[in-house]
Amino acid sequence: TNSDWSSDVCSSDLMRERFDAVKRIVEMQLSDTQRRVLWMRDYKGYSFAEIAAAVDMTEENVRQTLSRARKQIRETYKNIN
C-alpha cells in the first residue's frame, strides 16, 4: 500500500541521515590511525593480526584503538542527537 511505501522511504531517509552523521564523526573526530583500524576491521574484515602488521601495532593496541574509536563514535553521536 501507499502508506507502506512512505514508511519505507522515511525509514530509508532516517538510515541515510544516521549513516551520514556517523561518517562525519569518523572523518572529523577520529585520528588517522583510528580511522584506518576501523576501516580495516569493520569494512574490510581484516583480522586483528593483519591490522597489527599493517599499522605496526600490537594486536592488543589494535583492539584498544578500535574500542576507543567506536566509543568516540557512540558518544559523539549520542551528543548530537
Side-chain angles (χ1 to χ4, degrees):
T1 65
N2 199 18
S3 65
D4 290 340
W5 179 82
S6 60
S7 175
D8 288 345
V9 170
C10 289
S11 177
S12 177
D13 288 347
L14 181 60
M15 291 300 292
R16 170 54 66 186
E17 286 178 29
R18 288 178 178 166
F19 177 82
D20 288 345
V22 170
K23 185 177 175 187
R24 282 190 303 275
I25 293 166
V26 168
E27 291 169 352
M28 296 172 58
Q29 299 288 323
L30 301 185
S31 70
D32 290 340
T33 300
Q34 287 174 318
R35 277 194 300 275
R36 188 169 182 201
V37 168
L38 182 73
W39 178 77
M40 292 176 78
R41 182 67 181 169
D42 289 351
Y43 295 99
K44 290 297 188 177
Y46 289 11
S47 71
F48 289 109
E50 291 169 319
I51 299 168
V55 297
D56 195 29
M57 298 170 85
T58 66
E59 285 185 50
E60 182 57 36
N61 282 346
V62 168
R63 290 176 194 274
Q64 188 174 55
T65 298
L66 183 61
S67 176
R68 288 179 178 164
R70 289 175 175 162
K71 181 179 179 183
Q72 179 69 39
I73 292 167
R74 278 191 311 272
E75 288 178 357
T76 303
Y77 185 83
K78 184 172 62 174
N79 289 335
I80 63 173
N81 285 307

